[in-house]
Amino acid sequence: MDKEKLRTVIEGGVFHAIIQFLILASAVVFVFESDSAVWGLEAYTTHFIVLDWLFFILFSAEYILRVYIEPRKRDFIFSFYGIIDLLAILPSLFLLPGFRVLRVLRFLRVFRIFKATRFILAVDRLASALRGIQQELLALVILSLMLVYLAACGIHYFERDVQPEDFGTIIDSMWWAVVTLTTVGYGDVYPETAGGKVFTALVTLVGVGLIAIPSGLLASALTEARVEREMEEEEKESTEGDTNSG
Amino acid sequence: MDKEKLRTVIEGGVFHAIIQFLILASAVVFVFESDSAVWGLEAYTTHFIVLDWLFFILFSAEYILRVYIEPRKRDFIFSFYGIIDLLAILPSLFLLPGFRVLRVLRFLRVFRIFKATRFILAVDRLASALRGIQQELLALVILSLMLVYLAACGIHYFERDVQPEDFGTIIDSMWWAVVTLTTVGYGDVYPETAGGKVFTALVTLVGVGLIAIPSGLLASALTEARVEREMEEEEKESTEGDTNSG
Amino acid sequence: MDKEKLRTVIEGGVFHAIIQFLILASAVVFVFESDSAVWGLEAYTTHFIVLDWLFFILFSAEYILRVYIEPRKRDFIFSFYGIIDLLAILPSLFLLPGFRVLRVLRFLRVFRIFKATRFILAVDRLASALRGIQQELLALVILSLMLVYLAACGIHYFERDVQPEDFGTIIDSMWWAVVTLTTVGYGDVYPETAGGKVFTALVTLVGVGLIAIPSGLLASALTEARVEREMEEEEKESTEGDTNSG
Amino acid sequence: MDKEKLRTVIEGGVFHAIIQFLILASAVVFVFESDSAVWGLEAYTTHFIVLDWLFFILFSAEYILRVYIEPRKRDFIFSFYGIIDLLAILPSLFLLPGFRVLRVLRFLRVFRIFKATRFILAVDRLASALRGIQQELLALVILSLMLVYLAACGIHYFERDVQPEDFGTIIDSMWWAVVTLTTVGYGDVYPETAGGKVFTALVTLVGVGLIAIPSGLLASALTEARVEREMEEEEKESTEGDTNSG
């Protein structure tokens, strides 16, 4: 079959719809297979394995086709989607007799869901905006980890004597720090001493401020990208105007 | 009565105020009717039904008037507000003897409240800004669902043995994923294993980042719309200036 | 004393510092007086009353001075700070013998703290930015109330049979709606049925989106104000440039 | 050794990597030392003290080197990083026999982690953006404290009779105010009266709005900085264009 013709098919809507359906079906089967014991579906174990082999064959075929039509094969194989497509098929191989020990790694099939991001166009735009602020985001992640560390050390100091079970070590206190700074606040651990409560007030004030930063960063990055595009267009128009008037 | 005159009345402040009052009254009556059994108001059941017929008649009259004054009747009937206005009156019909089975659908009267959005001007502006980023928002919804799926699979893996009641199946674990990723954190389910806690820390870090994206998107979309308007005005002025100086 | 001289004193740093100290002291005394019974400070009741009369006299003097130096007295009296200043002194009058019944209204002294906003310059800038988006913010408040109403009706439908104590009426269910949509999530009430959990997932998705809107609005309003200022300055420069080159 | 040569070494990647490793190692040792009693590592107490002396020596050497290569030594010593570097070494001195009483202050070694911010470039950019809105952020902090005060007074009024344990004093009620306004919502304290619940609904509405402000502020500050840079570049180009065409 002609490569160009094949590419048209693979980049066409019907092929996309089929792959999207397969990804969704594979996720649903994954859940059913995983929950089968609890729901009394053990009788269908073989069905799940057959279905998984089917997904393996179809996703493998898709992968081979994508590599085949790609002129720069190496680039595709080491691209984000190339690796995701490979990861989507490899874990099924652990069903083979020789890989019995690694069977638990079939769990990795869960990442098949990432194949779906290829079909959401806006994801690309979001990703490129996030790439523009990746240094700031990395800095925020490091600052967040530092804040978790400092918060855990602080609350450990205040609460270790009253609640040795939950705050007896700094490591244990980190769980409180994560749950509090993300404002999840399950309520399984919380300070009881006056000092611990005042410290929590200070730490959450900083934490809420830290959480506010990424959306501010993203907003300005997206706005900049748009204003730049806007200005380029304006400049182009203005240049054309100059040429015409010259 | 003259159509144009009627339109002036319908688009006037008095008519608006009456409809707004009816919407609010209808919501209040809905709550009282629903809660009547608990509050010992069963004696007033007939009053509630009479009131509901009254709302039915008045909203129907409003709907007929709106269709009547509209030159493009079809467009109005299938517009957002046309459908809302129809949905506001239909559920009351299930009180008729022939629809006894569907009586439970009278619950749909709750959506009458949406009629009120017509009178909030800023809602239009917000809606148009959100339309400008609808692809990104859709992508975020899909990514959020993917994150819920992955978080549920992960926490199920860590917690299923320790807390089979809450994390025994992936489906059950999704409840934890929703409550955690939205940072609601009721505290009815939370990880207890060290692995589950570390996994939660990672997942909430991503979740908090995901929650930050929509406000960033909206900010840049609103800013772009404003800057564009600004520039158009400037350009207009500048063109006028050129003409004057020529 | 000269009015102009007096104005210089009142708008000067020393006077500001004294008033700020009085506001803070008044808030601290308010807390101590209120908590005195629990802390066994009943012996100091008279001291608190004397202190309150002192604050009354000093804040009254400040109010009279401010009215005195103001050329447009009426405007000041009915301005935001004029009303706040009046509210700061009136509640103390309820200590007089004739007002014994209204003594509970002395609680209103708590609003004295608002006097402090006068001294925070950035509050003005924030307030003016918020005024620029007040229609949108009002729309958001109304939409939030609608969402609380719809969420309460929905969860009541799903949970009323299983948890009649907490979700037996729509009014009761609203408490859950508020706690969930603000992502506070105390954990005193939460859905237990599968339907209620799915409904919660949908409602919180919308709720988290709604919460994202105000910061987006504010960002774009602030940016617009800044870009406008920027452009005005540029235009001015450009006009000057044209004049120079002419 | 030549000062310039030394500076090149200190500002080079190898030196940076070593210091970063030391900071991380020092944090890890701090956690292990602190948690040693719980983990049964008391036997290694001497090891921890030796390690701490090692960190003391190495960080002291770094500090001395940084001061040595700096031409304006005074400026460096009183700069943010100068103080942090000093604070990173001082607490270890409390191990000396003469300072036995202050040994508890060795806890301050936890702030060594701040040394790491020197190596995250984006932190500088974030800090400069935050400096541009520091007045607004300070105003927000003060407004937040005022809201905590008012919320505590209000909930105390509604809940003191029903829950004297948690809301018996305004001071105690502040803990609820902090946990609620940051939307952490542990669930250890929450209103039970109808009035307290309605009050909570109002207060969280304001609180959620307040939390939205910093990200809006930051977004507009970052956008302004970028647009300004953009315009400066444009102006420069435009000026060059004029010169070329002249």
Side-chain angles (χ1 to χ4, degrees), chain D residues 17-166:
Chain D
I18 292 170
I19 299 294
Q20 285 175 51
F21 171 79
L22 284 177
I23 296 166
L24 193 62
S26 139
V28 170
V29 167
F30 182 87
V31 169
F32 270 83
E33 185 185 341
S34 169
D35 295 357
S36 59
V38 178
W39 294 348
L41 301 173
E42 293 94 337
Y44 298 91
T45 311
T46 351
H47 296 74
F48 290 128
I49 289 177
V50 169
L51 274 170
D52 197 42
W53 278 118
L54 191 69
F55 289 127
F56 170 72
I57 291 163
L58 292 169
F59 285 136
S60 300
E62 184 212 354
Y63 182 68
I64 290 162
L65 280 177
R66 284 193 189 278
V67 172
Y68 175 70
I69 63 161
E70 196 65 50
R72 289 158 306 171
K73 292 186 200 330
R74 198 192 191 87
D75 285 10
F76 171 73
I77 288 169
F78 291 101
S79 72
F80 176 73
Y81 288 123
I83 292 165
I84 287 293
D85 282 350
L86 196 63
L87 283 178
I89 50 180
L90 283 190
S92 295
L93 291 177
F94 298 132
L95 269 178
L96 293 176
F99 292 97
R100 201 170 284 266
V101 194
L102 297 168
R103 196 156 287 183
V104 74
L105 289 177
R106 287 186 63 228
F107 196 80
L108 292 170
R109 285 174 300 155
V110 77
F111 292 110
R112 273 183 194 159
I113 198 87
F114 280 123
K115 282 171 73 79
T117 56
R118 174 186 273 136
F119 305 107
I120 317 169
L121 288 176
V123 165
D124 276 0
R125 267 173 283 165
L126 281 177
S128 99
L130 292 175
R131 252 196 303 277
I133 51 170
Q134 64 186 353
Q135 282 189 302
E136 277 85 357
L137 289 180
L138 183 66
L140 280 178
V141 170
I142 296 174
L143 288 176
S144 302
L145 294 178
M146 282 166 64
L147 189 58
V148 165
Y149 167 73
L150 289 172
C153 291
I155 204 74
H156 165 69
Y157 178 85
F158 286 111
E159 299 287 326
R160 60 185 162 192
D161 297 330
V162 182
Q163 304 187 69
E165 194 84 12
D166 291 323

Side-chain angles (χ1 to χ4, degrees), chain C residues 35 125 183 185-186 215 226 230, chain D residues 136 169-170 176 180 187 212 220:
Chain C
D35 295 356
R125 267 173 283 165
T183 78
Y186 289 125
S215 85
R226 282 173 160 165
E230 196 76 18
Chain D
E136 277 85 357
T169 63
I170 293 177
W176 167 86
T180 300
S220 94

Side-chain angles (χ1 to χ4, degrees), chain A residues 26-28 30-32 34-35 38-39 104 107 109-111 113-117 120-123 125-126 130 140-141 144-145 166 172 175 178-179 181-188 211-216 218-224 226-227 229-231 234 237, chain B residues 132-133 135-140 142-143 146 149-150 153-154 156-157 160 168-172 174 176 179-181 183-191 196-198 200-201 204-205 208-209 211-217 219-224 227-228 231 234-235:
Chain A
S26 139
V28 171
F30 182 87
V31 169
F32 271 82
S34 170
D35 295 357
V38 178
W39 294 349
V104 75
F107 195 80
R109 284 174 301 155
V110 79
F111 292 110
I113 198 86
F114 280 124
K115 283 171 72 80
T117 55
I120 316 169
L121 288 176
V123 164
R125 268 173 283 166
L126 281 177
L130 292 175
L140 280 178
V141 169
S144 302
L145 293 178
D166 291 323
D172 283 346
W175 172 240
V178 166
V179 170
L181 290 172
T182 55
T183 78
V184 170
Y186 288 125
D188 55 338
I211 285 178
I213 296 181
S215 84
L218 184 69
S220 95
L222 285 167
T223 302
E224 194 196 13
R226 280 171 161 166
V227 169
R229 219 166 44 215
E230 196 76 18
M231 282 187 164
E234 209 189 37
E237 281 172 31
Chain B
I133 51 170
Q135 282 190 302
E136 276 85 355
L137 290 179
L138 183 65
L140 279 178
I142 297 174
L143 287 176
M146 282 165 64
Y149 166 73
L150 289 172
C153 290
H156 163 70
Y157 178 85
R160 61 186 161 192
T169 64
I170 293 177
I171 294 285
D172 282 346
M174 281 185 184
W176 167 86
V179 170
T180 300
L181 290 172
T183 78
V184 170
Y186 289 124
D188 56 338
V189 283
Y190 50 83
K197 286 176 176 181
V198 172
T200 302
T204 50
L205 193 74
V208 164
I211 284 176
I213 297 181
S215 85
L217 278 170
S220 95
L222 284 166
T223 303
E224 193 195 13
V227 169
E228 249 170 45
M231 283 187 163
E234 209 189 37
E235 205 156 293

